[in-house]
Amino acid sequence: MLIRIIHTFKMKHIFKIFPLFIIYLLASCEEDQYYKNTEALLNFSNDTVMFDTVFTTIGSSTRKLIVKNPYSQSVKVSSIKLAGGATSPFKLNIDGHSGTELNNIEIRPKDSLYIFAEVTIDPTNINSPMVVKDSIQFYVNNNYQDVKLVAWGQDVHIINSQIIESET
């Protein structure tokens, strides 16, 4: 009798859990369906991200770049990285992740991701304007694409609460 009660108790629980187990198996067996065409290319909102007249040591305002997946399947971006790496004056935020490189990013069908860039230019003690360049590199299905980063900078001397000269 006791064995029969234990058996019935276990069977009731098995029937409750069984549908969940089947759903789990079906979901976990699904293979990633990425667009794998070797000619796959991403679309960008701009081919160059420009920063105009950035004063040294102050930093820039933030610029955005939109990266679009034009395909009806997800695209797996192997790598998005700043060409200059950690020594670059540019800083990136790739879809919420700060850093110089992000790997294995999925962009859903017809969707996009945002990249935010900013730059801080080191002073050179030269009066003439300077140009600082770098690029963001993208690798999808062994294809290389890049978006240029260009900033025009100018050395400035910041004077706070000082009287430079007084005349009457």
Side-chain angles (χ1 to χ4, degrees):
M1 174 89 171
L2 183 60
I3 295 174
R4 187 176 174 106
I5 294 171
I6 293 172
H7 180 61
T8 305
F9 178 74
K10 288 181 182 178
M11 293 304 286
K12 284 181 184 178
H13 289 294
I14 287 174
F15 287 121
K16 289 180 183 176
I17 296 173
F18 188 73
L20 296 173
F21 180 72
I22 295 298
I23 291 170
Y24 173 76
L25 282 178
L26 291 174
S28 63
C29 291
E30 187 177 320
E31 189 176 315
D32 294 330
Q33 296 297 319
Y34 295 114
Y35 186 70
K36 296 183 180 179
N37 188 322
T38 56
E39 296 177 15
L41 296 174
L42 300 169
N43 293 340
F44 304 106
S45 57
N46 299 314
D47 62 350
T48 303
V49 178
M50 293 287 297
F51 297 85
D52 189 21
T53 315
V54 176
F55 297 125
T56 56
T57 69
I58 295 175
S60 69
S61 58
T62 303
R63 301 284 189 263
K64 78 176 174 192
L65 173 70
I66 302 172
V67 182
K68 301 172 189 171
N69 171 8
Y71 306 106
S72 56
Q73 287 181 292
S74 293
V75 170
K76 188 170 193 173
V77 183
S78 307
S79 173
I80 300 175
K81 65 181 175 180
L82 192 57
T87 60
S88 176
F90 293 92
K91 302 289 181 239
L92 297 180
N93 184 307
I94 305 166
D95 213 25
H97 301 278
S98 295
T100 58
E101 184 172 354
L102 191 61
N103 297 312
N104 299 319
I105 306 105
E106 177 183 350
I107 305 177
R108 311 271 304 150
K110 305 287 185 185
D111 202 357
S112 58
L113 66 84
Y114 284 79
I115 297 177
F116 296 98
E118 61 181 42
V119 62
T120 302
I121 299 175
D122 290 331
T124 58
N125 294 323
I126 299 173
N127 274 343
S128 53
M130 63 194 94
V131 179
V132 177
K133 297 179 182 179
D134 204 342
S135 66
I136 305 171
Q137 300 174 331
F138 299 85
Y139 294 92
V140 177
N141 298 347
N142 291 324
N143 286 328
Y144 167 80
Q145 291 177 274
D146 72 338
V147 172
K148 306 294 184 227
L149 299 169
V150 179
W152 291 90
Q154 180 73 48
D155 267 345
V156 293
H157 299 284
I158 300 172
I159 301 171
N160 271 337
S161 303
Q162 292 177 335
I163 299 173
I164 299 173
E165 208 173 290
S166 176
E167 275 187 45
T168 308

